[in-house]
Amino acid sequence: AGMGSDLFGSFGEATCAALVIAAQSHDLVSAGWDTLIFPLYISSVGILVCIATSFVATDFRPVRSEASIEEVLKTQLTLSTVGMTVAMFPVCAMFMPQEFYLGPKSFASACVEGVNTSKCVTMGPMSAFCCIAAGLWGGLIIGFVTEYYTSHSYSPVREVARSTETGAATNIIYGLA
Protein backbone atom coordinates (compact mmCIF):
# COMPACT_ATOMS: atom_id res chain seq x y z
CA ALA A 1 0.00 0.00 0.00
CA GLY A 2 2.90 2.35 0.69
CA MET A 3 4.29 2.35 -2.84
CA GLY A 4 0.82 2.56 -4.40
CA SER A 5 -0.11 5.52 -2.23
CA ASP A 6 3.18 7.23 -3.10
CA LEU A 7 2.48 6.81 -6.80
CA PHE A 8 -1.07 8.06 -6.39
CA GLY A 9 0.16 11.02 -4.34
CA SER A 10 2.74 11.92 -6.97
CA PHE A 11 0.11 11.56 -9.69
CA GLY A 12 -2.31 13.83 -7.81
CA GLU A 13 0.37 16.42 -7.07
CA ALA A 14 1.55 16.52 -10.69
CA THR A 15 -2.03 16.93 -11.93
CA CYS A 16 -2.73 19.73 -9.44
CA ALA A 17 0.54 21.47 -10.35
CA ALA A 18 -0.39 21.35 -14.05
CA LEU A 19 -3.81 22.79 -13.27
CA VAL A 20 -2.26 25.62 -11.25
CA ILE A 21 0.18 26.44 -14.05
CA ALA A 22 -2.66 26.43 -16.59
CA ALA A 23 -4.69 28.76 -14.37
CA GLN A 24 -1.80 31.26 -14.37
CA SER A 25 -1.81 31.53 -18.17
CA HIS A 26 -3.99 34.30 -19.59
CA ASP A 27 -4.20 32.52 -22.94
CA LEU A 28 -5.16 29.11 -21.51
CA VAL A 29 -7.84 30.65 -19.29
CA SER A 30 -9.16 32.66 -22.26
CA ALA A 31 -9.27 29.52 -24.42
CA GLY A 32 -11.97 28.11 -22.19
CA TRP A 33 -12.70 25.53 -19.56
CA ASP A 34 -11.77 22.55 -21.77
CA THR A 35 -8.27 23.90 -22.25
CA LEU A 36 -7.87 24.78 -18.59
CA ILE A 37 -8.68 21.26 -17.42
CA PHE A 38 -6.54 19.56 -20.09
CA PRO A 39 -4.49 17.71 -17.40
CA LEU A 40 -7.71 16.03 -16.27
CA TYR A 41 -8.40 14.91 -19.84
CA ILE A 42 -5.00 13.22 -19.85
CA SER A 43 -5.95 11.36 -16.67
CA SER A 44 -9.39 10.46 -18.01
CA VAL A 45 -8.02 9.06 -21.24
CA GLY A 46 -5.44 7.17 -19.20
CA ILE A 47 -8.18 5.50 -17.17
CA LEU A 48 -9.99 4.39 -20.34
CA VAL A 49 -6.78 3.08 -21.90
CA CYS A 50 -5.98 1.27 -18.64
CA ILE A 51 -9.38 -0.43 -18.66
CA ALA A 52 -8.88 -1.52 -22.29
CA THR A 53 -5.36 -2.75 -21.56
CA SER A 54 -6.57 -4.66 -18.52
CA PHE A 55 -9.26 -6.31 -20.63
CA VAL A 56 -6.66 -7.43 -23.16
CA ALA A 57 -4.46 -8.86 -20.41
CA THR A 58 -7.30 -10.73 -18.71
CA ASP A 59 -9.18 -12.03 -21.74
CA PHE A 60 -6.76 -12.27 -24.68
CA ARG A 61 -3.39 -12.94 -23.04
CA PRO A 62 -4.12 -13.98 -19.45
CA VAL A 63 -1.50 -15.23 -17.01
CA ARG A 64 -1.56 -19.00 -17.34
CA SER A 65 1.53 -19.84 -15.32
CA GLU A 66 4.06 -18.18 -13.06
CA ALA A 67 6.54 -18.02 -15.93
CA SER A 68 4.15 -15.96 -18.09
CA ILE A 69 3.63 -13.16 -15.53
CA GLU A 70 6.59 -11.18 -16.82
CA GLU A 71 5.47 -11.47 -20.44
CA VAL A 72 1.90 -10.37 -19.63
CA LEU A 73 3.16 -7.36 -17.65
CA LYS A 74 5.41 -6.34 -20.56
CA THR A 75 2.44 -6.65 -22.90
CA GLN A 76 0.30 -4.46 -20.64
CA LEU A 77 3.01 -1.81 -20.32
CA THR A 78 3.59 -1.72 -24.07
CA LEU A 79 -0.11 -1.69 -24.98
CA SER A 80 -0.90 1.07 -22.51
CA THR A 81 1.95 3.20 -23.90
CA VAL A 82 0.85 2.68 -27.49
CA GLY A 83 -2.81 3.19 -26.58
CA MET A 84 -2.15 6.45 -24.73
CA THR A 85 0.04 7.73 -27.56
CA VAL A 86 -2.66 7.09 -30.13
CA ALA A 87 -5.49 8.40 -27.94
CA MET A 88 -3.76 11.61 -26.86
CA PHE A 89 -3.10 13.01 -30.34
CA PRO A 90 -6.74 13.90 -31.08
CA VAL A 91 -7.27 15.08 -27.48
CA CYS A 92 -4.34 17.49 -27.82
CA ALA A 93 -5.65 18.69 -31.19
CA MET A 94 -9.14 19.31 -29.76
CA PHE A 95 -8.32 21.08 -26.52
CA MET A 96 -5.00 22.91 -26.82
CA PRO A 97 -4.76 26.35 -28.46
CA GLN A 98 -2.34 26.82 -31.34
CA GLU A 99 -0.19 29.33 -29.42
CA PHE A 100 -0.15 30.52 -25.83
CA TYR A 101 2.01 32.20 -23.22
CA LEU A 102 2.63 30.49 -19.88
CA GLY A 103 2.17 33.56 -17.75
CA PRO A 104 -0.16 36.44 -16.93
CA LYS A 105 0.34 38.21 -20.27
CA SER A 106 -1.17 37.21 -23.59
CA PHE A 107 0.85 35.56 -26.35
CA ALA A 108 0.42 38.63 -28.57
CA SER A 109 1.88 41.01 -25.98
CA ALA A 110 4.57 38.79 -24.45
CA CYS A 111 5.90 37.01 -27.51
CA VAL A 112 6.77 39.87 -29.82
CA GLU A 113 9.12 39.52 -32.78
CA GLY A 114 12.67 38.82 -31.68
CA VAL A 115 11.73 37.75 -28.13
CA ASN A 116 12.28 34.04 -27.66
CA THR A 117 11.38 32.59 -24.29
CA SER A 118 10.37 29.12 -23.16
CA LYS A 119 7.06 30.55 -21.93
CA CYS A 120 6.03 31.34 -25.53
CA VAL A 121 4.52 28.13 -26.88
CA THR A 122 3.77 27.82 -30.58
CA MET A 123 2.22 24.75 -32.19
CA GLY A 124 0.43 24.13 -28.88
CA PRO A 125 -1.31 20.85 -29.72
CA MET A 126 1.85 19.30 -31.16
CA SER A 127 3.99 20.63 -28.30
CA ALA A 128 1.63 19.13 -25.71
CA PHE A 129 1.48 15.84 -27.59
CA CYS A 130 5.28 15.63 -27.84
CA CYS A 131 5.63 16.23 -24.09
CA ILE A 132 3.08 13.53 -23.33
CA ALA A 133 4.60 11.07 -25.81
CA ALA A 134 8.12 11.69 -24.44
CA GLY A 135 6.88 10.89 -20.94
CA LEU A 136 5.04 7.78 -22.07
CA TRP A 137 7.88 6.31 -24.10
CA GLY A 138 10.51 7.39 -21.57
CA GLY A 139 8.53 5.55 -18.89
CA LEU A 140 8.34 2.46 -21.09
CA ILE A 141 12.10 2.49 -21.68
CA ILE A 142 12.81 3.03 -17.97
CA GLY A 143 10.49 0.14 -17.14
CA PHE A 144 12.22 -2.24 -19.53
CA VAL A 145 15.73 -1.19 -18.50
CA THR A 146 14.83 -1.51 -14.82
CA GLU A 147 13.40 -4.94 -15.43
CA TYR A 148 16.57 -6.04 -17.22
CA TYR A 149 18.76 -5.05 -14.30
CA THR A 150 16.46 -6.31 -11.52
CA SER A 151 14.76 -9.43 -12.92
CA HIS A 152 16.22 -12.87 -12.33
CA SER A 153 15.32 -13.67 -15.93
CA TYR A 154 18.32 -11.70 -17.21
CA SER A 155 22.06 -12.07 -16.75
CA PRO A 156 22.94 -9.06 -14.51
CA VAL A 157 20.97 -10.44 -11.56
CA ARG A 158 22.17 -13.99 -12.20
CA GLU A 159 25.80 -12.82 -12.26
CA VAL A 160 25.42 -11.09 -8.89
CA ALA A 161 23.74 -14.22 -7.52
CA ARG A 162 26.62 -16.40 -8.77
CA SER A 163 29.15 -14.13 -7.09
CA THR A 164 27.62 -14.93 -3.70
CA GLU A 165 28.71 -18.55 -4.01
CA THR A 166 32.32 -17.65 -3.17
CA GLY A 167 31.56 -15.47 -0.15
CA ALA A 168 30.33 -12.11 1.04
CA ALA A 169 33.48 -10.18 0.09
CA THR A 170 33.27 -11.31 -3.52
CA ASN A 171 29.61 -10.33 -3.60
CA ILE A 172 30.36 -6.85 -2.25
CA ILE A 173 33.22 -6.32 -4.70
CA TYR A 174 31.15 -7.59 -7.60
CA GLY A 175 28.21 -5.43 -6.59
CA LEU A 176 30.41 -2.33 -6.46
CA ALA A 177 32.04 -3.05 -9.81
Side-chain angles (χ1 to χ4, degrees):
M3 186 174 214
S5 63
D6 286 348
L7 289 172
F8 182 73
S10 297
F11 169 73
E13 291 164 2
T15 302
C16 288
L19 290 167
V20 169
I21 290 171
Q24 302 302 312
S25 170
H26 176 270
D27 291 328
L28 294 178
V29 170
S30 297
W33 183 249
D34 287 337
T35 300
L36 194 60
I37 64 167
F38 181 73
L40 297 177
Y41 285 130
I42 297 170
S43 302
S44 301
V45 171
I47 290 169
L48 296 175
V49 169
C50 181
I51 290 170
T53 302
S54 179
F55 176 73
V56 168
T58 56
D59 292 351
F60 294 114
R61 293 195 61 175
V63 176
R64 302 218 188 275
S65 66
E66 188 176 327
S68 69
I69 292 173
E70 194 173 315
E71 182 183 331
V72 171
L73 287 174
K74 281 183 189 177
T75 302
Q76 282 185 297
L77 184 59
T78 304
L79 285 176
S80 64
T81 301
V82 170
M84 274 299 286
T85 303
V86 170
M88 285 312 300
F89 188 79
V91 172
C92 291
M94 282 190 289
F95 299 119
M96 292 302 292
Q98 191 60 35
E99 53 187 29
F100 56 91
Y101 179 72
L102 290 172
K105 299 177 184 176
S106 69
F107 184 88
S109 65
C111 305
V112 294
E113 190 70 35
V115 176
N116 191 2
T117 175
S118 61
K119 291 184 175 186
C120 296
V121 179
T122 57
M123 298 187 336
M126 186 55 76
S127 297
F129 175 74
C130 288
C131 289
I132 294 167
L136 288 168
W137 290 93
L140 180 71
I141 291 167
I142 289 170
F144 284 159
V145 169
T146 301
E147 180 188 4
Y148 177 76
Y149 285 105
T150 59
S151 173
H152 192 269
S153 300
Y154 300 101
S155 62
V157 174
R158 287 193 212 140
E159 289 174 10
V160 172
R162 273 195 297 274
S163 73
T164 62
E165 294 172 359
T166 58
T170 309
N171 187 23
I172 292 169
I173 291 170
Y174 190 84
L176 294 174

